[in-house]
Amino acid sequence: MSIWWSLHLRRDAASVPLARRLLLGTMETAGVDPEISYDLSVALSEACANAVEHGGGATRDHTSEAFRVTAYLDGEKCRIEVADAGPGFPAAGTRPRPQPVPAEAEHGRGLSLIEQLADHVHIGNKPGRGGAVVSFDKILKWREDAPLTAV
C-alpha cells in the first residue's frame, strides 16, 4: 500500500492543526497503530509550528508566505517533509544539534521532540532557493483490523 499527499499552507497558526488532522485521519483510515500516529502527529505539529514561526516574512501584498507539507505512507514506513521559504538554517556544520529543553519551556523544543519521536530525521536547507526542510521517517505498526495493510 502506498498513500501520499501534499499541502501548500499559509504561514498561519491555523494551518498547523489542519495538517495534523489530515495526517491523523489518513493514518486512522489506513489502520496505523494509534501510538505511532500520535507520535508522528506531534512531530508534524512541531515542524509546522517552526515553519509558521521561522519560515519567512510577509510578501509584497502583506500576505503570509506559504509552506509545504508532504506525507508518504509507503509499505512499512511513513515519511513526512515540511519545507518553508524562510532564511533556512545556518551553513552546514555550524547548526548545533537540537538540545534537550525543559518540559515547561514554550519555545526551542520542536527539533528535539521531532528527533525523539521519529526513527530518522534530516534537517537542512532547500538547495539554491533558500528555506528550511525538515523530514522524518518512522516505521509503521498496524492495527490487527487494519483495512489497508502494507504489501
Side-chain angles (χ1 to χ4, degrees):
M1 178 218 25
S2 181
I3 300 171
W4 74 271
W5 51 261
S6 187
L7 299 172
H8 189 79
L9 298 167
R10 285 185 18 205
R11 273 189 54 240
D12 185 278
S15 297
V16 177
L18 175 64
R20 182 179 178 142
R21 286 184 195 125
L22 182 58
L23 178 68
L24 285 169
T26 301
M27 294 186 143
E28 181 181 356
T29 301
V32 174
D33 177 81
E35 288 183 30
I36 298 294
S37 298
Y38 179 77
D39 287 352
L40 284 168
S41 73
V42 171
L44 173 62
S45 294
E46 293 296 333
C48 289
N50 283 346
V52 167
E53 186 172 344
H54 306 291
T59 59
R60 288 182 206 163
D61 61 359
H62 303 290
T63 60
S64 295
E65 293 176 349
F67 67 100
R68 188 190 73 235
V69 176
T70 306
Y72 306 90
L73 279 76
D74 193 18
E76 294 292 325
K77 180 172 68 172
C78 178
R79 166 166 276 187
I80 297 172
E81 180 179 286
V82 177
D84 66 42
F89 294 101
T94 62
R95 184 181 62 79
R97 301 281 303 154
Q99 299 297 314
V101 176
E104 64 276 2
E106 291 187 28
H107 298 286
R109 62 186 181 141
L111 295 177
S112 181
L113 269 172
I114 293 167
E115 287 196 334
Q116 292 172 33
L117 294 169
D119 295 328
H120 178 263
V121 178
H122 175 76
I123 299 168
N125 294 323
K126 289 194 278 187
R129 296 186 294 160
V133 178
V134 176
S135 64
F136 48 96
D137 303 340
K138 189 158 184 86
I139 301 298
L140 299 174
K141 294 180 189 170
W142 301 90
R143 296 187 323 249
E144 283 187 31
D145 64 340
L148 303 172
T149 56
V151 181

